[in-house]
Amino acid sequence: MTPRIVVTRKLADPAMAALREAGDLWSPEPDRTLTTDELHAAVAGADAVVSTLQDRIDGAVADAAGPQLKVVSTVAVGYDNIDVPALHERGIVVTHTPGVLTDATADLAFGLLLSVTRRLGEGERLIRERRPWEFHLAFLLGTGLQGKTLGIVGLGEIGVAMARRARAFGMEIVYTGRPGGRRADPAVEHELDARFLSLEELLRTSDAVSLHCPLTPQTRHLIDAEALATMKPTAYLINTSRGPVVDEAALAEALRRGALAGAGLDVFEKEPEVHPALLELDNVALAPHLGSATTETRTAMAELAARNAVAVLRGDTPPTPVRS
Ligand code: GLV
Ligand code: GLV
């Protein structure tokens, strides 16, 4: 029987073509995030579901699909929106797209660090609001990165790519594993000249902290009021991982009080909502979840997600499964 393949959002053309070749392909029209009811109706009878991080995929979705469902392939590296144990219990393979978005995400994280430390958003707002300005020696002074210490929370692939960029800008690297995470490979430590610290020491000594850990029960609000109070008042926080890793209200309060110099945020606790207090602050660089948003990367993610789904439908091992 021809397998039924459901994609919850349209993918780049080459991925759609690969899926069309492998089965009967359904995608939403118009292209928008499905409600829970629409998702349940759409997946009925599906052998493969290719989803994105907006879709909550749990046991109920699997049951709405039916016992023939073999694979859920998410077009993302993070899979906190998927109840992996519930799917694995039902014998469903879960796959994600690590690797192909590493550079794009690290580029964006470093871009946010530059944006907030060099006050690019403030400068742009000033010009666009047609406020008067002229070059002078003390105008919109930012903070240099050379010789400063970048603390990386979660030295996985994206953390390493961020650290490489920071090294090229003359920064020193310290890192900590996510809770339960392991120390990096000695070769990676050596290449980056990176020092392993406890989270507390890292927060205490870093001039900028960049979050590269997945969202798990252990990392939810990892950066809370206490963690923020541990950071230097001159330090910056960069988050391109998942919003709930940071207590946004506590962050806004720390920034407002001057307990932290600034933040660069690509992800938010209640996405797409942004805590209103953050919008009042000039020392926050904001981006609407653009970490992997380049044409090249989104195409590669879609192609990998399609390869994962097709491999499982054919009875092969997918390239990038999520393990239990
Ligand atoms: C994006 O946030 C991803 O997890 O791929
Ligand atoms: C700045 O524009 C300079 O010329 O120093």
Side-chain angles (χ1 to χ4, degrees):
M1 250 186 44
T2 313
R4 172 172 158 80
I5 304 173
V6 168
V7 307
T8 65
R9 295 296 302 247
K10 280 202 181 59
L11 307 174
D13 291 342
M16 293 296 263
L19 292 171
R20 222 172 267 122
E21 226 168 79
D24 285 333
L25 182 61
W26 181 91
S27 62
E29 203 63 65
D31 185 29
R32 59 164 174 79
T33 303
L34 300 170
T35 64
T36 304
D37 286 345
E38 288 170 338
L39 180 63
H40 284 205
V43 298
D47 297 275
V49 173
V50 181
S51 56
T52 74
L53 55 88
Q54 285 113 318
D55 306 311
R56 169 90 201 131
I57 307 283
D58 51 16
V61 172
D63 295 339
Q68 76 297 326
L69 179 63
K70 292 173 197 62
V71 55
V72 169
S73 166
T74 185
V75 192
V77 66
Y79 48 83
D80 49 279
N81 58 313
I82 299 177
D83 185 345
V84 176
L87 298 194
H88 282 173
E89 258 167 39
R90 290 166 172 77
I92 299 161
V93 177
V94 180
T95 66
H96 66 143
T97 62
V100 291
L101 45 61
T102 300
D103 285 322
T105 308
D107 287 348
L108 192 93
F110 207 84
L112 284 173
L113 178 60
L114 282 172
S115 178
V116 66
T117 55
R118 297 304 300 274
R119 306 174 66 176
L120 293 175
E122 277 178 83
E124 170 147 355
R125 286 191 289 280
L126 179 143
I127 290 176
R128 287 188 182 276
E129 285 162 16
R130 297 179 165 72
R131 300 210 299 263
W133 67 278
E134 64 175 358
F135 175 92
H136 67 88
L137 291 175
F139 177 56
L140 269 190
L141 298 188
T143 301
L145 298 177
Q146 293 75 13
K148 302 287 168 62
T149 297
L150 176 66
I152 299 212
V153 178
L155 196 67
E157 281 188 48
I158 300 173
V160 168
M162 176 68 169
R164 289 196 177 121
R165 284 154 178 73
R167 292 289 293 161
F169 278 73
M171 300 187 80
E172 306 289 333
I173 307 299
V174 297
Y175 78 98
T176 194
R178 59 194 156 94
R182 277 173 302 145
R183 231 178 127 130
D185 201 294
V188 171
E189 272 192 3
H190 181 77
E191 178 208 321
L192 301 170
D193 200 8
R195 274 190 307 130
F196 181 85
L197 297 179
S198 69
L199 176 63
E200 204 256 320
E201 280 175 294
L202 176 141
L203 294 171
R204 199 156 35 74
T205 53
S206 296
D207 299 300
V209 172
S210 191
L211 306 176
H212 299 285
C213 53
L215 174 62
T216 65
Q218 292 77 36
T219 63
R220 184 173 294 274
H221 282 194
L222 184 68
I223 305 300
D224 58 7
E226 193 188 338
L228 292 162
T230 310
M231 291 175 70
K232 296 184 191 181
T234 50
Y236 295 85
L237 178 71
I238 306 300
N239 189 11
T240 54
S241 63
R242 283 291 182 270
V245 175
V246 176
D247 179 341
E248 226 165 68
L251 174 63
E253 180 54 20
L255 289 165
R256 194 191 57 75
R257 281 190 293 112
L260 201 65
L265 306 174
D266 186 44
V267 288
F268 303 93
E269 237 186 302
K270 300 200 176 84
E271 233 168 271
E273 278 168 49
V274 177
H275 196 294
L278 290 173
L279 300 177
E280 304 301 318
L281 297 166
D282 251 335
N283 53 344
V284 189
L286 299 165
H289 205 142
L290 297 179
S292 64
T294 67
T295 304
E296 295 85 345
T297 296
R298 286 287 162 78
T299 303
M301 290 166 72
E303 287 182 309
L304 179 53
R307 279 205 304 284
N308 275 319
V310 172
V312 176
L313 290 175
R314 293 206 176 123
D316 297 334
T317 305
T320 49
V322 171
R323 310 205 185 267
S324 312

